[in-house]
């Protein structure tokens, strides 16, 4: 009866009738012996409840809470229906105290910049938002989803001059409308793979950021970033009809109707970000002091007021160290040939100390601490006296110039093919050597 009750609570008329039949099968059947063996038979009609009796029996004994849980889940019910004893400003001490970060796939397919007849996928938006002021601090748009590249792309946007960035897309803003070079004390995210990875832990430790992970199924605990993505979809989707919009029905024709490029999408997103930071927030919980000071409840206004009261947020002092933290550590070595990483050779003539260290290795190789940008293996990076140094692929080596611009992921696929070919070749050579030795032995 209990299983049938759960089915009843969660479904439509068909599901409820299915629950009724399931209840009869389990509770109102009997085993009957016939000429072909034993089979299950429903009891006489006067011995089991009608569908109407079943319906009202279960409904009269079910609470509204049980119905909502059955239709979604206990986890979602807790998230949507929990009592709100406080708001998300509790424990937030001004601008930069706590950022929320998340990503979402846009409901649109885009076409190639080079060939408009070729669709290239759905753009991914990563964004950071300041919980105190509701200001969007960083945003990046690419095709990297749930990845190290997507996460670091958003971090790199913290460094960018937003006024210059927006000007590239025909958007004019003042410098204080979207600050740059700000770093949070705490960063809240969900349990996405990029946020619980080793790289995320390493980056947060090196940058002195405390990571906070919202439990699964509790999107309301990072409500500002979730609301931002809802607003983006609501404002853009109606305009994307017949322009690559991905509909929720079977006749969605988004691949054939796609017309926008990733550049077009960036312009739309950046414009939405600027508008968001300027908008009046009627429901922002202004304090009595804010009201007395005539603080305008916009993200820009709250941010300015917060700085006056709580002081400036953390700033990125050493940009080179910040960039270096966002690069991926690799196992490399240094020799007279330069920096070597997975059969790749890097060299620079701008660092005399490195050239001297190369000379001192003589015929040996030593470990060398450096990092790489997974987006492009053309360069490798290391620190020298708190300054970010760059070594490039040595194009004097055969085949190195062909690899410039290749991602680390794509190169590692080629590298694995080469390693397997080397193993196969070594085995083949061994067969030749053994056969040759046997032939020589016979001759001797």
């Amino acid at each position: 009866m209990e299983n049938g009750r759960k089915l009843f609570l969660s479904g439509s008329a068909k599901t409820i009738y299915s629950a009724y039949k399931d209840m009869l099968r389990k509770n109102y059947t009997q085993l009957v012996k016939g000429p072909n063996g034993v089979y299950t038979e429903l009891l006489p009609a006067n011995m089991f409840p009608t569908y109407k009796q079943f319906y009202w029996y279960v409904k009269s004994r079910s609470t509204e809470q049980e119905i909502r849980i059955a239709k979604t889940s206990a986890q979602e019910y807790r998230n949507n229906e929990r009592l709100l004893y406080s708001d998300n400003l509790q424990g937030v001490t001004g601008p930069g105290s706590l950022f929320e970060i998340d990503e979402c796939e846009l409901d649109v397919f885009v076409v190639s910049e080079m060939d408009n007849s070729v669709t290239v996928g759905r753009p991914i938006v990563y964004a950071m938002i300041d919980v105190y002021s509701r200001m969007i601090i960083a945003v990046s748009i690419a095709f990297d989803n749930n990845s190290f590249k997507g996460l670091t792309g958003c971090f790199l946007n913290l460094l960018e001059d937003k006024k210059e960035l927006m000007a590239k897309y025909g958007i004019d803003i003042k410098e204080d409308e979207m600050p740059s070079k700000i770093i949070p004390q705490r960063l809240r995210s969900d349990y996405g793979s990029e946020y619980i990875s080793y790289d995320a832990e390493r980056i947060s430790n090196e940058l002195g950021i405390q990571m906070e992970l919202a439990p699964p199924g509790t999107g309301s605990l990072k409500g500002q970033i979730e609301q931002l993505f809802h607003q983006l979809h609501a404002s853009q989707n109606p305009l994307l009809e017949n322009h690559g919009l991905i509909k929720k029905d079977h006749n969605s024709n988004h691949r054939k109707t796609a017309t926008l490029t990733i550049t077009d999408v960036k312009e739309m997103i950046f414009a939405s970000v600027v508008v968001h930071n300027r908008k009046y927030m009627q429901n922002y919980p202004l304090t009595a002091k804010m009201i007395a000071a005539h603080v305008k409840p916009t993200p820009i206004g709250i941010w300015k007021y917060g700085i006056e009261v709580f002081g400036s947020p953390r700033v990125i002092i050493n940009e080179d160290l910040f960039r270096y933290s966002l690069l991926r550590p690799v196992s490399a070595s240094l020799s007279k040939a330069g920096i070597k990483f997975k059969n790749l050779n890097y060299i620079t003539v701008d660092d005399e100390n490195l050239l001297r260290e190369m000379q001192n290795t003589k015929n040996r190789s030593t470990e060398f601490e450096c990092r790489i940008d997974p987006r492009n293996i053309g360069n490798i990076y290391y620190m020298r006296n708190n300054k970010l140094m760059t070594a490039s692929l040595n194009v004097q080596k055969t085949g190195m110039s062909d690899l410039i611009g290749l991602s680390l992921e794509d190169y590692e696929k080629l590298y694995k093919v080469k390693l397997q070919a080397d193993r196969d070749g070594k085995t083949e050579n061994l067969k030749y050597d053994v056969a040759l030795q046997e032939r020589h032995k016979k001759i001797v």
Side-chain angles (χ1 to χ4, degrees):
M1 189 71 170
E2 184 60 29
N3 289 337
R5 183 165 174 267
K6 289 180 179 179
L7 284 170
F8 169 86
L9 291 173
S10 62
S12 61
K14 289 184 177 179
T15 306
I16 295 172
Y17 191 69
S18 177
Y20 172 66
K21 291 187 293 183
D22 187 62
M23 182 272 299
L24 294 180
R25 179 185 62 81
K26 291 182 178 180
N27 301 281
Y28 295 94
T29 57
Q30 60 183 346
L31 294 177
V32 177
K33 188 175 182 180
N36 297 323
V38 178
Y39 62 93
T40 302
E41 182 182 73
L42 189 64
L43 294 175
N46 61 346
M47 297 182 66
F48 61 82
T50 64
Y51 173 73
K52 188 174 182 180
Q53 289 172 324
F54 166 77
Y55 182 93
W56 289 109
Y57 177 87
V58 176
K59 186 173 183 180
S60 64
R61 285 165 174 76
S62 303
T63 65
E64 183 67 22
Q65 177 180 343
E66 288 176 317
I67 293 174
R68 292 192 180 186
I69 290 175
K71 287 186 175 181
T72 55
S73 67
Q75 187 180 65
E76 187 171 343
Y77 176 80
R78 287 194 299 270
N79 179 54
N80 297 333
E81 305 294 336
R82 61 189 174 87
L83 297 178
L84 303 177
Y85 292 108
S86 62
D87 55 38
N88 62 0
L89 291 178
Q90 293 299 311
V92 177
T93 55
S97 172
L98 174 63
F99 286 179
E100 291 178 354
I101 183 173
D102 204 354
E103 80 287 339
C104 79
E105 283 186 305
L106 295 180
D107 295 333
V108 64
F109 254 71
V110 297
V111 298
S112 169
E113 301 270 9
M114 305 298 294
D115 185 353
N116 290 346
S117 66
V118 178
T119 55
V120 292
R122 299 173 64 176
I124 312 298
V125 178
Y126 275 80
M128 284 189 202
I129 191 167
D130 177 58
V131 173
Y132 176 78
S133 64
R134 298 355 186 198
M135 178 179 282
I136 300 173
I137 300 296
V139 63
S140 65
I141 303 100
F143 295 106
D144 307 308
N145 193 12
N146 297 326
S147 68
F148 174 82
K149 291 186 289 185
L151 174 64
T152 53
C154 191
F155 268 95
L156 285 171
N157 187 248
L158 291 171
L159 276 179
E160 291 186 86
D161 186 310
K162 305 304 192 302
K163 182 176 175 64
E164 293 182 3
L165 175 64
M166 297 301 174
K168 294 178 182 178
Y169 296 89
I171 305 169
D172 185 31
I173 65 170
K174 298 178 182 177
E175 291 184 359
D176 60 356
E177 289 191 68
M178 197 175 178
S180 301
K181 300 180 182 179
I182 301 297
I183 189 169
Q185 296 176 0
R186 295 179 290 149
L187 185 62
R188 181 179 293 158
S189 70
D190 57 23
Y191 272 77
S193 58
E194 66 270 54
Y195 306 119
I196 61 175
S197 65
Y198 164 78
D199 282 314
E201 182 179 0
R202 177 187 56 78
I203 290 172
S204 61
N205 288 336
E206 292 183 7
L207 297 180
I209 299 174
Q210 179 183 340
M211 291 295 295
E212 295 183 359
L213 299 174
T218 55
S220 60
L221 294 182
K222 51 184 182 69
Q224 297 308 312
I225 196 73
E226 297 284 351
Q227 185 61 30
L228 169 64
F229 292 142
H230 289 315
Q231 292 170 356
L232 287 178
H233 283 123
S235 64
Q236 295 179 6
N237 285 8
L239 303 174
L240 298 176
E241 187 80 29
N242 297 321
H243 293 283
L245 178 65
I246 301 173
K247 301 178 182 179
K248 304 301 181 182
D249 49 48
H250 70 281
N251 61 347
S252 181
N253 204 21
H254 47 271
R255 292 181 184 274
K256 293 183 178 180
T257 61
T259 58
L260 300 178
T261 65
I262 188 69
T263 300
D264 297 327
V265 172
K266 286 182 178 181
E267 185 174 346
M268 293 178 70
I269 294 297
F270 289 148
S272 297
V273 167
V274 171
V275 170
H276 171 94
N277 287 346
R278 293 172 176 173
K279 270 192 170 181
Y280 186 94
M281 300 180 292
Q282 184 175 351
N283 295 323
Y284 187 89
L286 292 172
T287 64
K289 291 182 179 180
M290 288 179 174
I291 297 173
H294 302 288
V295 175
K296 190 176 182 179
T298 64
I300 297 172
I302 300 296
W303 178 272
K304 291 179 180 178
Y305 173 82
I307 290 177
E308 293 175 1
V309 174
F310 299 102
S312 298
R314 291 175 61 200
V315 297
I316 300 172
I317 299 174
N318 189 321
E319 292 187 25
D320 284 348
L321 281 174
F322 182 85
R323 292 181 185 277
Y324 192 65
S325 296
L326 301 181
L327 299 171
R328 177 168 289 169
V330 294
S331 298
S333 61
L334 185 68
S335 68
K336 291 175 66 175
I339 304 170
K340 187 171 184 178
F341 163 65
K342 290 190 175 181
N343 285 348
L344 299 172
N345 291 94
Y346 296 87
I347 191 71
T348 178
V349 296
D350 297 329
D351 185 2
E352 293 183 0
N353 289 326
L354 181 70
L355 299 176
R356 193 177 302 113
E357 290 173 8
M358 289 168 54
Q359 189 69 37
N360 291 337
T361 60
K362 298 182 179 179
N363 294 323
R364 306 185 313 273
S365 63
T366 60
E367 291 184 5
F368 188 77
E369 183 179 341
C370 57
R371 297 184 179 183
I372 201 167
D373 185 347
R375 300 168 184 81
N376 184 358
I377 62 170
N379 298 312
I380 208 162
Y381 306 88
Y382 61 97
M383 294 299 295
R384 178 82 70 187
N385 299 323
N386 284 333
K387 183 180 179 181
L388 185 64
M389 308 296 291
T390 304
S392 302
L393 280 172
N394 187 357
V395 295
Q396 302 300 320
K397 297 277 188 178
T398 302
M400 291 295 108
S401 60
D402 297 336
L403 302 175
I404 295 175
L406 203 65
S407 71
L408 179 59
E409 181 182 6
D410 289 337
Y411 173 72
E412 285 181 334
K413 292 177 182 177
L414 296 176
Y415 184 66
K416 287 181 181 178
V417 172
K418 177 64 167 62
L419 289 180
Q420 185 60 49
D422 288 346
R423 286 192 290 266
D424 295 341
K426 185 177 181 180
T427 301
E428 188 175 358
N429 287 347
L430 185 60
K431 291 179 182 179
Y432 287 134
D433 289 340
V434 171
L436 183 62
Q437 188 177 36
E438 179 64 21
R439 183 181 181 85
H440 287 172
K441 183 178 179 181
K442 290 180 179 180
I443 296 173
V444 171

